[in-house]
Amino acid sequence: MKFKYLVTKILSVGGIFLISSCDSYLDVNENPNNPVDAPISGLMINSSYESALNVFRVGDITSNYVQYLASPNPASASDTMEPLSFNSTWFNLYNVMTDLTVLIEKSEEQGAGHYQGAAQILMALNLGMGVDIFGDMPFSESFNFETVTPAYDEDTQLYELIIQYLDDGIANLQGSTTSSLGDDDFIYGGNVENWISFGNMLKARYMLHLSGLPGYDANALISALDNSFSSNAENADVTFFDEAVNPWFNVARNNADLLLGGWISEQFIEATDGTTFGVEDPRLPLMVGATDDDEYVGTVNGAGRGDAPPSGARSTLIEGQFYTSLASPVLIATFSEQKFIEAEATFTADKTRSYQAYLDGIRAHMEMLSVPEVEIDAYINNPSVGMGVAAFTIDDIFKEKWVALFLHPEAWNDARRYDYQYDNMDLPTNLNPDLNGQFIRRLAYPDNEISRNGSNVPDVTLLDRIFWDVQ
């Protein structure tokens, strides 16, 4: 018989008292209505599910900065890059890392190496998302109950820890275990080989961020790639079910109900409708909605919709497409992204391999969206896309990867590494004047963190770069 129960714990993280819940289908408590402990199965359920939601939560913030989305309201703070306070995003990242801390400890105690390894990979993912948007963060003092005002660890040190978590996670997944992952793993359903590939793919992602720094090891990155995904079938994602629908579906549904959101930036429309690059992208009608006139019309970031009505005159996310169906997956890491990582990592040393990886990345994303094969071939064979090795540039990689990472937070990491040099990506109208005519480089620390742990919060501006964002 299956029992569902609630586990509640209170921890102090980053100066915030966290209350975390996780559901389980394995009853290990004497009284399921008065639980005293969280089984590793329940912790795995919550951690894998909430990690995917954190990818959405961060992507929901960053999609305006990389001009996938635009606000229908003029001078909206999300468009104009104001110092917003993302208290809930901070809370949710720490909430998951709290559960993962417990899961790692309990798995080690029980000899459940596969649970421990998966938890370490998820810890790297959530910590990486946090560092990439905030920079320095409390971590080493955040999960031990000893202080309500934990010190901040430097972002450089946290990146070393991210790679260590991935290495340790992969090693534990390759070793013995007393308990096997199963349906409590919402990402891979217990497939350990896929978890190992996922860990290597994340290593490649985070190592690529360091490519502009001394000590960058391209060979180590390529080694990780060689042990990563082999097809879209291994993509790391979570598909939602029952009442827990895909969160991008909710954005689309709310917009249809005139709770306006999910409007598409003019930049994205013109990059895919042939205006900017001279080739129509067959993915466009599978990713966003057309107007009532069956056209694709974007919204200028920062300018709002002007005199356009609240529906029918601008392109938006709509229900029922690949990213916005009830049961659409939230993508955590994909084979397509991996191929673009390979293209960038090998561009200087092996341009032929780089070019093939670039083409493979386009094809993988199109196949994921179920673009007809004839349309895939026509797009790739267009001279603007399949230009040949000699004419192939790093700009081509960044452009196509930007399309393939639609709505994903990794796109903002790329945009900052690339210094926002995408063709026709203009600063938003009504830009925050404190940015001095420049694009945003990081998020402000949340107000709640400043009020509770202000003596430790670093003094930064939106123009201060994360350590890997080199000029």
Side-chain angles (χ1 to χ4, degrees):
M1 181 178 296
K2 293 181 179 179
F3 296 94
K4 189 173 182 179
Y5 68 90
L6 182 69
V7 175
T8 302
K9 60 182 177 293
I10 301 178
L11 294 177
S12 173
V13 176
I16 301 175
F17 287 99
L18 300 183
I19 301 176
S20 173
S21 302
C22 63
D23 295 326
S24 175
Y25 299 93
L26 298 176
D27 176 28
V28 298
N29 297 288
E30 293 182 3
N31 181 355
N33 298 312
N34 185 29
V36 295
D37 194 17
I40 58 175
S41 178
L43 290 165
M44 188 65 199
I45 287 172
N46 195 58
S47 298
S48 55
Y49 176 82
E50 287 291 332
S51 291
L53 284 180
N54 278 343
V55 172
F56 159 75
R57 289 159 179 149
V58 178
D60 193 37
I61 294 168
T62 61
S63 286
N64 286 67
Y65 299 156
V66 296
Q67 299 183 5
Y68 292 142
L69 304 180
S71 174
N73 302 312
S76 172
S78 60
D79 265 356
T80 60
M81 304 179 179
E82 299 289 337
L84 298 171
S85 179
F86 294 104
N87 291 310
S88 62
T89 302
W90 180 272
F91 172 88
N92 284 309
L93 287 169
Y94 273 106
N95 210 16
V96 174
M97 289 191 289
T98 299
D99 280 347
L100 289 169
T101 298
V102 178
L103 177 53
I104 291 168
E105 292 173 351
K106 291 176 69 67
S107 299
E108 184 174 17
E109 291 169 359
Q110 298 174 24
H114 291 177
Y115 278 93
Q116 185 180 0
Q120 287 164 323
I121 288 172
L122 291 178
M123 181 69 86
L125 171 71
N126 284 275
L127 179 58
M129 283 192 288
V131 174
D132 287 339
I133 58 178
F134 292 112
D136 297 355
M137 296 181 73
F139 192 83
S140 59
E141 296 183 0
S142 290
F143 308 105
N144 55 20
F145 294 98
E146 293 179 0
T147 178
V148 296
T149 56
Y152 275 62
D153 298 304
E154 293 183 2
D155 49 10
T156 53
Q157 296 173 334
L158 291 174
Y159 248 67
E160 293 175 1
L161 188 57
I162 289 166
I163 300 300
Q164 187 63 58
Y165 270 119
L166 291 170
D167 285 338
D168 291 346
I170 292 167
N172 281 317
L173 286 160
Q174 292 172 329
S176 61
T177 187
T178 57
S179 300
S180 297
L181 294 164
D183 291 342
D184 49 10
D185 163 17
F186 280 10
I187 297 174
Y188 286 124
N191 189 316
V192 173
E193 293 304 316
N194 283 355
W195 271 102
I196 293 169
S197 297
F198 177 33
N200 279 295
M201 192 279 180
L202 287 182
K203 274 190 69 174
R205 175 193 287 177
Y206 290 114
M207 292 171 74
L208 186 68
H209 295 173
L210 309 178
S211 60
L213 298 174
Y216 164 65
D217 189 344
N219 290 330
L221 189 159
I222 292 169
S223 177
L225 286 173
D226 291 341
N227 292 286
S228 302
F229 302 151
S230 58
S231 72
N232 282 326
E234 296 179 35
N235 289 348
D237 59 46
V238 170
T239 299
F240 294 84
F241 53 88
D242 297 336
E243 293 86 5
V245 299
N246 177 286
W248 288 114
F249 166 82
N250 282 331
V251 173
R253 179 175 58 184
N254 288 341
N255 187 74
D257 292 337
L258 300 185
L259 301 173
L260 302 185
W263 286 45
I264 309 302
S265 171
E266 180 183 76
Q267 160 71 12
F268 186 78
I269 296 296
E270 293 189 349
T272 51
D273 72 357
T275 301
T276 302
F277 296 99
V279 55
E280 293 185 17
D281 194 321
R283 289 170 288 188
L284 178 60
L286 303 176
M287 298 169 75
V288 306
T291 67
D292 289 346
D293 295 326
D294 200 28
E295 298 175 339
Y296 293 91
V297 180
T299 299
V300 176
N301 288 86
R305 60 188 172 93
D307 58 1
S311 66
R314 296 285 186 272
S315 293
T316 66
L317 296 177
I318 61 171
E319 299 171 44
Q321 296 188 312
F322 176 83
Y323 293 94
T324 53
S325 293
L326 273 167
S328 289
V330 169
L331 303 174
I332 301 172
T334 64
F335 181 57
S336 175
E337 180 195 347
Q338 177 183 305
K339 298 307 290 187
F340 288 116
I341 293 172
E342 180 183 351
E344 184 181 349
T346 59
F347 182 81
T348 300
D350 188 347
K351 197 174 180 184
T352 299
R353 176 177 176 177
S354 174
Y355 181 66
Q356 186 59 55
Y358 155 82
L359 296 178
D360 291 345
I362 298 170
R363 184 174 294 277
H365 186 245
M366 288 189 164
E367 289 177 347
M368 187 176 70
L369 269 60
S370 298
V371 176
E373 190 71 22
V374 64
E375 296 182 16
I376 297 176
D377 291 340
Y379 182 79
I380 288 178
N381 291 330
N382 187 290
S384 296
V385 179
M387 69 293 294
V389 176
F392 174 53
T393 71
I394 200 76
D395 299 321
D396 300 313
I397 299 171
F398 274 94
K399 178 261 179 175
E400 286 293 343
K401 188 180 180 187
W402 173 73
V403 175
L405 283 174
F406 186 60
L407 304 178
H408 195 283
E410 184 62 18
W412 192 35
N413 300 329
D414 281 346
R416 288 175 288 171
R417 291 193 305 114
Y418 189 47
D419 205 24
Y420 294 91
Q421 293 301 302
Y422 302 97
D423 283 359
N424 295 335
M425 182 172 280
D426 299 321
L427 287 163
T429 303
N430 300 307
L431 178 70
N432 170 15
D434 291 339
L435 292 177
N436 298 319
Q438 302 176 62
F439 283 97
I440 189 172
R441 312 307 297 205
R442 72 191 305 149
L443 300 186
Y445 286 105
D447 290 342
N448 284 350
E449 175 67 2
I450 293 171
S451 66
R452 294 182 171 113
N453 193 24
S455 62
N456 287 318
V457 175
D459 183 15
V460 297
T461 74
L462 301 184
L463 290 176
D464 289 326
R465 297 171 180 242
I466 310 301
F467 79 102
W468 49 252
D469 182 13
V470 295
Q471 291 179 294

